[in-house]
Each structure stands twice: as C-alpha cells, then as structure tokens.
Amino acid sequence: MAGHYKYGFSSSSASSSSSYSLSSAAFTSRLLLFLTVLPLTLACFAFILQWRGGITDPMIRWSPDPIGFPGMGSSGGSRGSDGHILLSRSDCVDVLGQSHSASFPYYRDWKFDYSSDLRPKVCITTSTSAGLEQILPWIFYHKVIGVSHFLLFVEGKAASPDVSKVLESIPGIRVIYRTKELEERQARSRIWNESWLASFFYKPCNYELFVKQSLNMEMAIVMARDAGVDWIIHLDTDELIYPAGTREYSLRLLLSEVPANVDMVVFPNYESSVERDDIREPFSEISMFKKNYDHLPKEVYFGNYKEATRGNPNYFLTYGNGKSAARIQDHLRPNGAHRWHNYMKAPNEIKFDEAAVLHYTYPKFSDLTSRRDRCGCKPTKDDVKRCFMLEFDRSAFIIASTASEDEMLQWYRERVVWADKALYLKLLKKGILTRVYAPMAIVQALRESGVFSSVIASAKTNLSKETFLESIKTANSSKSDSQETSRKIGNSGESQTTAKRILAYMDNADLPAIPPLSPPAPYYFDLE
C-alpha cells in the first residue's frame, strides 16, 4: 500500500514536471518568435511609411497655412487629398544640401525678382565698361544677398548690343547709356558750379572717371528715389559687398539693423590676394584677402606692415578707404566715388566692424594691359601723375606700356601674386590675411545652377538707346528742372530763412570730394 502510494506520488510528480517543461519550452519559443518577428515588422512598417511619404503631422494637417521644410516651396511639392504638403524626392535632395540650386534667403528662381516685398530696398549703382563674364556674377551675387535695384551706367563693351540686351532683360536692372543727351544733362549739373569736386575737373584717365562717377551718382540718387529705394551704394564691378556680422548672409538685414538716425555707413575694403597668375574668374577662384586697417588691432597692422606690403608702395595696392551706403533722403549728394554727403547737414556716419567690401584688385594678369589700353597718357613718371591718383596704378601703367610680355609677367608675380606660402600662412595666423569663402561658393553655385546661361538664353528683346532715352526723359526732366530752380533759391518755394540757412551751411561745410586713399603708413602714427 505504502509502495503503491509512493509509486503513485512519483508518477504524478513526473507528469507535472514534464508538463511544466513543455510549457516553458513553448513560451520560450513564442518569445523568440515574437522577438524575431517584431524588428522585421517594424522594418517593413518603416519601409512602407518611407515609400508612402510618412504620417501626417497633426500640426500640419490642421494648420490653416501649412509650411514645409526649406526647399519644398521652390521644387513644386504637391499637396495630398487632406491638404498637407507631400515631400517629393527633389525636396529631399534640396534639404540634404545635395542640390546645385543656390540656397539663400532670397532665392526663388533665376530671375530673383523681389518686386516690393523686401525692406529696406537696396540699390547699387555703378559705372562700367566690363563684359557679361564680369557683370553677371556681380549682379546675381548681390541679388542673392538682397539687393533689388541696379543702376548701370554703361559704355564700351557693357554698352554693346549683345551685352546690353542681356542686362536689360534682368528684373531690377536699369541700363543708362552714355549718350549725347546724357552728357548734355550732366553738363547742366550743379556740381560744375561748386568747389567740392573742382580739383578733379579737366584731367585725364582716373580723374576723368572720378568726375564721371560723381555725375552718375548724382543722377542715380534721383532714379533710386523714384523707385522707392531706401539705401544706395556706389560699387565698381570688381567689388563685392561682404555682409559679415548678421544672422543671415544678407545685406538687406545688415542695413535694416542700422539705427534710424544714421545717414551713412562705411564698409572698409579688403583687398584680394591672388595665389596664382592664371586666374580667369576672380569671383569663383579667389578666397584670400588682406584685411583693412580699420578691422585690425593697431599693433598687428603696424607690426606686420613691411611683410604685408612686399616691396609695394603701400599696404594695399590701390585704395584703402572703403565704400559707403547712404540712406536716401533730401539734399543727398555724392562726395566722390567712395562717400556721400548732404547739402543741408553733416551726415551722421558709422563704420561697420565686420562687414566689408571685397575689392578684387588686379586679379588677372590681363588687367595690366586692359587698364593700360583705357588711358592715353605717356609712360613717364611725370605724366602718369596727371592720370592716376595711386602710386601702384602709376607703376603698373608704366610696366604695361614699356615692358615685354615676359617682363610684365615677372613683375606681376613679384608685386601681385602671393607665391610665398610660408609668408601668407604667417600673415593668415597674424590676422593680416583672411579667408572669405562665401562669395566663391555663391558664384560657383549660381554658375552650376545655370543662372547665367538662363539669363543669356532668355534675352530675346533689346531696348534701343533711343527707346531707353524716351523712357527716362520724363523721370529726369523733373529733376533737371528742380536743379535749375534750386540754383536760384529766390525763385523756389523755400522761405528766405531756409535759403539763408542753406547758403550758410554750404559756405562752412563744402568739404572736398574724398578720392581713393591709401591706408595709413607707420610713420603717420605714434605706436603706443
């Protein structure tokens, strides 16, 4: 009995143990199967979501004005049946930065046609005889950083039918030809009756250009005002604005932050430091620049002055007093190509601590001969002083006029090209030289995007010079009349008191025009 009981107990225990083992094995198998299937299921689910375009974000689904990621608007992303924006493949490419399209705050299409929705409105005016290979990158770079209006006073190659046809087709561009009518209008300018520009009258080459630029700037003020512009800048087509110091790479934003009581802002200039003698496209190939005295500690500037000049006459090859932007207001006038002034008051002026003008100075070897061919002076030390304001320009003109091709190239390599890598690396560490890559990247991106080829291909019509003159006749005639009247203050609508105040100010503050000036040399300052 006992044995039977014992046997029965043992049999029951064995059965229970066996059942437990089977249950445990089944559970383990199911768990392993679940852990295996779960990642596969999630992976398949993720693949399906990616293939379908993702799950709608509730914030986007119910938003009255859905907003996509950067790049989605310009690539033509479609909307689903529920109203939200579907991200296309091209959008993904743009967001990931793999597209060749320019990605900047004001990029919409190759035309960069802003109309009136950006404030403040910025206008650049220039006097140029360059070709499309220089003007187009210059224009569209500044369009990228927010410039909406351009006033181009053209002659030479820039005024040729092929070039002018392209320029006139670009939104925001106004082309002004140097015609007999324009010269007659400028011959009646009040500038000729005032003393501030008189020291530059009736001299050849650079002096003549300086006067012509001032007359063009005077006319540009009127045109800019008629267009509702807020700021005007005079810039050559071998110069680019570098709007450093802003949240965005934006000239418009930079100027919008200028206090309302400031009339003029100065951009110190940086000068290009070319590293090769075979540069073809300066805006796309040059990244090294020499910093302005105003952006350097005094001890750094003077302590490295000799090494920075490399045997040239001055710290910069050409000018060093920067360029300026003026707020459009009553009585504004040019004060030479580098500054603005006002007939009624001394302008309140500030200077930017970070933003600058990048001056591409003699960036190509061919610049030696092209500058020579624009001037008919004799290549003597005495005669070049009549033609050029700066010493390096004088030396370059003499070399280009008297030396052989090989001698010119050798001179260019010694005076302009920075071939000594050890030296420029040292000056980069000291802060005298700096690398600026943004303009290079912008211009390269514009070229790869087909912007330049698109604008050339789209130029199907050409405004003749006669048609253009008719279009500006009305706009300028009112200004000419007002200028004639302003010379005769007694016949204007102003009061006797205002007339006396204007005369008193002009007597006391008729400052001379500011020419291109070299940066300071060590012996002008006391180093403390």
PDB file of all heavy atoms in Angstrom, residues 250-264:
ATOM      1  N   SER A 250      23.101  88.519 -45.402  1.00  0.00           N
ATOM      2  CA  SER A 250      22.118  89.402 -46.002  1.00  0.00           C
ATOM      3  C   SER A 250      22.516  90.860 -45.838  1.00  0.00           C
ATOM      4  O   SER A 250      22.622  91.352 -44.707  1.00  0.00           O
ATOM      5  CB  SER A 250      20.750  89.161 -45.355  1.00  0.00           C
ATOM      6  OG  SER A 250      19.856  90.206 -45.650  1.00  0.00           O
ATOM      7  N   LEU A 251      22.712  91.544 -46.944  1.00  0.00           N
ATOM      8  CA  LEU A 251      22.954  92.983 -46.905  1.00  0.00           C
ATOM      9  C   LEU A 251      21.701  93.718 -46.458  1.00  0.00           C
ATOM     10  O   LEU A 251      21.774  94.699 -45.712  1.00  0.00           O
ATOM     11  CB  LEU A 251      23.392  93.470 -48.284  1.00  0.00           C
ATOM     12  CG  LEU A 251      23.582  94.982 -48.448  1.00  0.00           C
ATOM     13  CD1 LEU A 251      24.643  95.513 -47.506  1.00  0.00           C
ATOM     14  CD2 LEU A 251      23.928  95.325 -49.897  1.00  0.00           C
ATOM     15  N   ARG A 252      20.561  93.260 -46.917  1.00  0.00           N
ATOM     16  CA  ARG A 252      19.298  93.885 -46.518  1.00  0.00           C
ATOM     17  C   ARG A 252      19.118  93.834 -45.012  1.00  0.00           C
ATOM     18  O   ARG A 252      18.755  94.838 -44.375  1.00  0.00           O
ATOM     19  CB  ARG A 252      18.121  93.184 -47.211  1.00  0.00           C
ATOM     20  CG  ARG A 252      16.768  93.835 -46.959  1.00  0.00           C
ATOM     21  CD  ARG A 252      15.636  92.890 -47.289  1.00  0.00           C
ATOM     22  NE  ARG A 252      15.701  91.688 -46.480  1.00  0.00           N
ATOM     23  CZ  ARG A 252      15.244  91.620 -45.240  1.00  0.00           C
ATOM     24  NH1 ARG A 252      14.702  92.664 -44.654  1.00  0.00           N
ATOM     25  NH2 ARG A 252      15.331  90.494 -44.565  1.00  0.00           N
ATOM     26  N   LEU A 253      19.386  92.683 -44.405  1.00  0.00           N
ATOM     27  CA  LEU A 253      19.258  92.556 -42.955  1.00  0.00           C
ATOM     28  C   LEU A 253      20.278  93.441 -42.242  1.00  0.00           C
ATOM     29  O   LEU A 253      19.979  94.077 -41.230  1.00  0.00           O
ATOM     30  CB  LEU A 253      19.441  91.095 -42.541  1.00  0.00           C
ATOM     31  CG  LEU A 253      19.337  90.797 -41.043  1.00  0.00           C
ATOM     32  CD1 LEU A 253      17.973  91.201 -40.512  1.00  0.00           C
ATOM     33  CD2 LEU A 253      19.594  89.322 -40.764  1.00  0.00           C
ATOM     34  N   LEU A 254      21.491  93.494 -42.784  1.00  0.00           N
ATOM     35  CA  LEU A 254      22.538  94.323 -42.190  1.00  0.00           C
ATOM     36  C   LEU A 254      22.107  95.786 -42.133  1.00  0.00           C
ATOM     37  O   LEU A 254      22.247  96.457 -41.098  1.00  0.00           O
ATOM     38  CB  LEU A 254      23.820  94.182 -43.010  1.00  0.00           C
ATOM     39  CG  LEU A 254      25.069  94.899 -42.487  1.00  0.00           C
ATOM     40  CD1 LEU A 254      25.600  94.233 -41.240  1.00  0.00           C
ATOM     41  CD2 LEU A 254      26.146  94.926 -43.571  1.00  0.00           C
ATOM     42  N   LEU A 255      21.552  96.291 -43.231  1.00  0.00           N
ATOM     43  CA  LEU A 255      21.146  97.694 -43.271  1.00  0.00           C
ATOM     44  C   LEU A 255      19.860  97.936 -42.478  1.00  0.00           C
ATOM     45  O   LEU A 255      19.634  99.049 -41.986  1.00  0.00           O
ATOM     46  CB  LEU A 255      20.960  98.141 -44.722  1.00  0.00           C
ATOM     47  CG  LEU A 255      22.251  98.194 -45.558  1.00  0.00           C
ATOM     48  CD1 LEU A 255      21.949  98.545 -47.008  1.00  0.00           C
ATOM     49  CD2 LEU A 255      23.250  99.188 -44.966  1.00  0.00           C
ATOM     50  N   SER A 256      19.014  96.926 -42.355  1.00  0.00           N
ATOM     51  CA  SER A 256      17.780  97.098 -41.582  1.00  0.00           C
ATOM     52  C   SER A 256      18.066  97.298 -40.099  1.00  0.00           C
ATOM     53  O   SER A 256      17.232  97.851 -39.376  1.00  0.00           O
ATOM     54  CB  SER A 256      16.863  95.879 -41.765  1.00  0.00           C
ATOM     55  OG  SER A 256      17.392  94.731 -41.113  1.00  0.00           O
ATOM     56  N   GLU A 257      19.238  96.866 -39.648  1.00  0.00           N
ATOM     57  CA  GLU A 257      19.602  96.993 -38.234  1.00  0.00           C
ATOM     58  C   GLU A 257      20.367  98.290 -37.927  1.00  0.00           C
ATOM     59  O   GLU A 257      20.754  98.525 -36.792  1.00  0.00           O
ATOM     60  CB  GLU A 257      20.431  95.781 -37.812  1.00  0.00           C
ATOM     61  CG  GLU A 257      19.639  94.473 -37.884  1.00  0.00           C
ATOM     62  CD  GLU A 257      20.494  93.240 -37.613  1.00  0.00           C
ATOM     63  OE1 GLU A 257      21.736  93.384 -37.605  1.00  0.00           O
ATOM     64  OE2 GLU A 257      19.927  92.158 -37.414  1.00  0.00           O
ATOM     65  N   VAL A 258      20.589  99.116 -38.941  1.00  0.00           N
ATOM     66  CA  VAL A 258      21.265 100.400 -38.722  1.00  0.00           C
ATOM     67  C   VAL A 258      20.292 101.359 -38.032  1.00  0.00           C
ATOM     68  O   VAL A 258      19.143 101.489 -38.467  1.00  0.00           O
ATOM     69  CB  VAL A 258      21.741 100.999 -40.065  1.00  0.00           C
ATOM     70  CG1 VAL A 258      22.321 102.399 -39.858  1.00  0.00           C
ATOM     71  CG2 VAL A 258      22.769 100.084 -40.713  1.00  0.00           C
ATOM     72  N   PRO A 259      20.703 102.041 -36.958  1.00  0.00           N
ATOM     73  CA  PRO A 259      19.810 102.980 -36.267  1.00  0.00           C
ATOM     74  C   PRO A 259      19.245 104.036 -37.205  1.00  0.00           C
ATOM     75  O   PRO A 259      19.902 104.464 -38.162  1.00  0.00           O
ATOM     76  CB  PRO A 259      20.719 103.606 -35.198  1.00  0.00           C
ATOM     77  CG  PRO A 259      21.788 102.588 -34.957  1.00  0.00           C
ATOM     78  CD  PRO A 259      22.014 101.918 -36.284  1.00  0.00           C
ATOM     79  N   ALA A 260      18.026 104.472 -36.926  1.00  0.00           N
ATOM     80  CA  ALA A 260      17.313 105.387 -37.820  1.00  0.00           C
ATOM     81  C   ALA A 260      17.996 106.744 -37.943  1.00  0.00           C
ATOM     82  O   ALA A 260      17.798 107.446 -38.936  1.00  0.00           O
ATOM     83  CB  ALA A 260      15.879 105.567 -37.330  1.00  0.00           C
ATOM     84  N   ASN A 261      18.802 107.137 -36.949  1.00  0.00           N
ATOM     85  CA  ASN A 261      19.451 108.450 -37.002  1.00  0.00           C
ATOM     86  C   ASN A 261      20.767 108.436 -37.779  1.00  0.00           C
ATOM     87  O   ASN A 261      21.434 109.459 -37.892  1.00  0.00           O
ATOM     88  CB  ASN A 261      19.709 108.970 -35.581  1.00  0.00           C
ATOM     89  CG  ASN A 261      20.718 108.114 -34.830  1.00  0.00           C
ATOM     90  OD1 ASN A 261      20.827 106.915 -35.070  1.00  0.00           O
ATOM     91  ND2 ASN A 261      21.454 108.727 -33.922  1.00  0.00           N
ATOM     92  N   VAL A 262      21.155 107.283 -38.325  1.00  0.00           N
ATOM     93  CA  VAL A 262      22.401 107.166 -39.095  1.00  0.00           C
ATOM     94  C   VAL A 262      22.109 107.410 -40.562  1.00  0.00           C
ATOM     95  O   VAL A 262      21.210 106.799 -41.139  1.00  0.00           O
ATOM     96  CB  VAL A 262      23.044 105.780 -38.890  1.00  0.00           C
ATOM     97  CG1 VAL A 262      24.234 105.591 -39.826  1.00  0.00           C
ATOM     98  CG2 VAL A 262      23.484 105.611 -37.445  1.00  0.00           C
ATOM     99  N   ASP A 263      22.876 108.308 -41.179  1.00  0.00           N
ATOM    100  CA  ASP A 263      22.668 108.671 -42.575  1.00  0.00           C
ATOM    101  C   ASP A 263      23.545 107.876 -43.531  1.00  0.00           C
ATOM    102  O   ASP A 263      23.182 107.692 -44.692  1.00  0.00           O
ATOM    103  CB  ASP A 263      22.978 110.162 -42.782  1.00  0.00           C
ATOM    104  CG  ASP A 263      22.161 111.048 -41.859  1.00  0.00           C
ATOM    105  OD1 ASP A 263      20.922 110.947 -41.907  1.00  0.00           O
ATOM    106  OD2 ASP A 263      22.759 111.827 -41.096  1.00  0.00           O
ATOM    107  N   MET A 264      24.705 107.425 -43.065  1.00  0.00           N
ATOM    108  CA  MET A 264      25.652 106.761 -43.960  1.00  0.00           C
ATOM    109  C   MET A 264      26.446 105.717 -43.188  1.00  0.00           C
ATOM    110  O   MET A 264      26.814 105.932 -42.033  1.00  0.00           O
ATOM    111  CB  MET A 264      26.607 107.795 -44.578  1.00  0.00           C
ATOM    112  CG  MET A 264      27.558 107.236 -45.615  1.00  0.00           C
ATOM    113  SD  MET A 264      28.494 108.539 -46.461  1.00  0.00           S
ATOM    114  CE  MET A 264      29.567 109.125 -45.152  1.00  0.00           C
TER     115      MET A 264
END
